[in-house]
Every structure is written in structure tokens, then in C-alpha cells.
Amino acid sequence: MTHIYNFSAGPAVLPKEVLAQAAAEMLDWHGSGMSVMEMSHRGPEFISIYQGAVRDLRELLAVPDNYKILFLQGGGLGENAIVPLNLVGRKPQPATVDFVHTGSWSGKSIKEAAKYANVNVAASSQADGYNRVPPQSDWTLTPGAAYLHICTNETIDGVEYAFAPELAGDTTIVADMSSHILSRVIDVSKYGVIFGGAQKNIGPAGLTLVIVREDLLGAALPICPSAFDWSVVAQHDSMYNTPPTYAIYIAGLVFQWLKRQGGVAAMEKRNIEKAALLYAALDADDFYHNRIAAENRSRMTIPFFLRDESKNEAFLAGAKQRGLLQLKGHKSVGGMRASIYNAMPIEGVQALVDYLNHFAGRGK
Ligand SMILES: *Cc1c(COP(=O)(O)O)cnc(C)c1O
């Protein structure tokens, strides 16, 4: 098999060990004679897979007991509607929702929420080309807002929060962590809701994770589809309707793999190392550039540009020859993007760095 490193933003690289285990268990899961894909979600085999995944995730993120872990469908974009449908009903209508606009994904969230609530953009880095997270001291929050929505890693723009907001009063913070959940230690208790699509840093597409504080349940708007009403989903242990069983199984294997790696703190250490290695190569001279403010540079999703954009095609072709795949930037920003999620080994980052140096003609 050709050896490659996959820098895709998502669906993205998965740990080889996990894929090998899934392959070995494909036709006969633990002597059941069945593939996980063929099992009833209500049977004892799948229930044990589901329970293990929830337990391991709770342990990895130290999720407090007063939070529910839900496995849904609909992706990150689905949550952009599902979040307001579940939360704006906690306040007199029409409620207001605050946003910090730091890039493409928070921008999409703002648009969608405006269908269900008044939207206040408390702070925005749009005028600066989304190159940073506006400091919390600059946020203009709405007293009595239903919640504040932030995207803690802007996957396309490469902007990551280096802090967890500390807000006065009981403001509920909703965080879209799709592209960096489980990459760094977080204090779940600082958030009311954490959500993320699985296909970036967890597992296959089709699974959406929601971690929600229990007191926020039960206020869904009457128009909220039952299958997306978090309290209904929680009451049914994520089995109100058929959950994405195979995606949950793979996510569960990834959680076990993370535990074997030493957990989230150990991953964070490696992610810091990996990101430092890559940014150092991008910063070595002005052949490449990344324009994000130093303290907000993402450790996971790293966009970069060649000064001479006429070399883009040659850069990508040369990368492909070395087995460095899916480095083309998002169409909205152009350039390149290297996603170096948990499952990207440091050897992959080193291979990319070697190529960056070679292509820039360094060390000759
Ligand atoms: C990918 C992504 C989404 C959208 O996820 P879908 O599963 O495609 O709906 C939302 N937010 C962030 C931060 C993302 O990276």
C-alpha cells in the first residue's frame, strides 16, 4: 500500500490502529457473527458499544455528572438551527442571541440563528479578515441574551480560541468545537453546550456530538423537530430515532485509542509540538505566510499561502508525489491548508515540513 499522509480538513485522517481494528471486526464483531452495521441499535451488543463510547468520552473530557452526552445527526450546520430551537425558548420571545464572529463557521451560525431569534454580533474580526479572536474586553454582550455562541476553532480561517470566556452572571456559552474537540484540555463546566461534527477530530461523518448541561433541557420551541429536541433525545439515551450506529462504533474506538495515547492532556502536548514544528517552517522566511495573530493560530487547521501564488499548482503536485495529500486550501480563502488533527502523527508533520523546506529551496 502506498504510504501517504492525509491533511484533509474533514472527513479527515483516522488512527491507523482504529481502522485496522474496525477491519478485523468488520464481518464478526466479538463473536456475534454480525457486523456492527447490521446490529439493532436496541440489542445488547450495540448498547454495550454505545455505553462504552459515552463512558470513555465522559472520562476523556472530564464531563461533569450534570451534563448529558448526546449522539445526534445533522452535522455542525444542523446544530446551527438545533441550538436556537432548543435554547431561545428559555427567554421571553423574541429572544436575543449573542455571537462572536471570527470566521466562516460562526458566520454561518449567525445566519441560521437569525431565523429563530434576534441576533447581536457582540464582536467581529471581519474587518481584519478574521485574523484573530477579539479580546473578551471588546465584546458587547446583551443582558438577558438566551446564550452566547462562539466557534472555538474556525476550521477554514485557522483561528483558535486560546482562552475559555469568563462571563459575569449566568450567560450560557454555546461552543462549536467541531474541528478541535479532544485536541486540548477544556473545562466543560465553563460551557452550557458544546457541539461538534465527528468527521474532523473524532470519527466518520454522520455523527454529531452534543454535550449539554441538564438545566438547559426542556425549553425547546414547539416547532423543534422531536428528533432534534435535546430533552427527548436525552430521555431516550440518543435512541429516540436510529442513531448513526457505525459512526458511534468508530468514534468509540477512537476514544479507546485516545485513552491508550494518554488522554487529552497527552494529545494536547503532541498537538502543541506538531503545530510549533509546522508554523516554524512557515515563518522561516517569507516564502510562505500565515496571517493569523500569534496567540490565535490554530493548532489543528493551519491555512497558509505561498507568496508567489503562481507556484500553487506546482506545490500541490510536488506534495502529492511525496504522498502529502489534500493540502489545497478551502475555496473561499484559497492557498493551502494543513489539518493536523489528533490522528496525524508527528512524522506526517515532519514530512510536510521537509517538503516545505525543499520547495522553498532552503538549505541548499
Ligand atoms: C465542518 C464544520 C462545521 C460543519 O459541519 P457539517 O458536519 O458539514 O455540518 C461546522 N462548524 C465547524 C467549526 C466545522 O469545522
Side-chain angles (χ1 to χ4, degrees), residues 3-280:
H3 189 78
I4 62 101
Y5 290 110
N6 173 7
F7 295 92
S8 169
V13 58
L14 285 167
K16 285 272 177 292
E17 266 176 72
V18 164
L19 295 176
Q21 187 178 347
E25 296 178 346
M26 173 61 78
L27 297 182
D28 178 9
W29 183 82
H30 294 207
S32 64
M34 290 180 281
S35 165
V36 173
M37 269 182 268
E38 304 171 297
M39 290 175 182
S40 164
H41 55 299
R42 305 201 187 280
E45 295 93 349
F46 184 74
I47 297 280
S48 75
I49 290 171
Y50 158 80
Q51 286 172 342
V54 171
R55 195 174 51 237
D56 288 339
L57 180 60
R58 194 174 282 283
E59 184 184 323
L60 284 164
L61 286 177
V63 178
D65 288 342
N66 63 325
Y67 283 73
K68 295 283 190 202
I69 291 175
L70 309 179
F71 292 151
L72 284 96
Q73 305 187 52
L77 289 186
E79 285 305 315
N80 283 345
I82 295 168
V83 168
L85 282 165
N86 276 275
L87 293 184
V88 302
R90 296 170 63 245
K91 300 287 177 177
Q93 300 301 300
T96 297
V97 178
D98 284 338
F99 281 86
V100 179
H101 190 185
T102 47
S104 301
W105 290 114
S106 50
K108 288 195 176 172
S109 304
I110 289 169
K111 264 193 160 160
E112 191 73 15
K115 296 180 182 174
Y116 307 101
N118 294 325
V119 161
N120 169 51
V121 178
S124 172
S125 57
Q126 188 171 22
D128 305 311
Y130 305 121
N131 66 346
R132 68 200 168 93
V133 176
Q136 207 195 300
S137 51
D138 292 352
W139 299 1
T140 314
L141 300 171
T142 310
Y147 60 92
L148 163 72
H149 178 123
I150 58 177
C151 175
T152 47
N153 188 62
E154 288 279 4
T155 320
I156 293 172
D157 306 273
V159 175
E160 183 169 9
Y161 278 63
F163 64 94
E166 294 279 358
L167 304 179
D170 66 344
T171 304
T172 299
I173 303 175
V174 174
D176 176 356
M177 296 195 182
S178 293
S179 54
H180 75 159
I181 191 164
L182 292 164
S183 73
R184 59 192 298 153
V185 174
I186 53 165
D187 179 351
V188 173
S189 72
K190 295 224 161 87
Y191 304 89
V193 178
I194 291 168
F195 73 84
Q199 74 273 23
K200 311 284 168 62
N201 205 22
I202 297 178
L207 168 65
T208 315
L209 204 76
V210 174
I211 302 172
V212 53
R213 211 174 57 226
E214 283 170 357
D215 63 281
L216 299 172
L217 298 174
L221 294 176
I223 57 164
C224 179
S226 308
F228 294 139
D229 178 335
W230 293 333
S231 60
V232 173
V233 177
Q235 276 159 25
H236 291 84
D237 290 325
S238 297
M239 308 222 188
Y240 174 71
N241 65 335
T242 313
T245 52
Y246 198 77
I248 291 171
Y249 158 70
I250 300 286
L253 295 184
V254 171
F255 300 153
Q256 290 169 20
W257 175 80
L258 284 170
K259 285 171 64 176
R260 292 197 298 277
Q261 304 304 303
V264 175
M267 287 318 300
E268 176 168 13
K269 250 179 94 180
R270 277 183 235 174
N271 289 329
I272 290 170
E273 258 179 70
K274 279 153 51 184
L277 188 62
L278 182 47
Y279 282 114

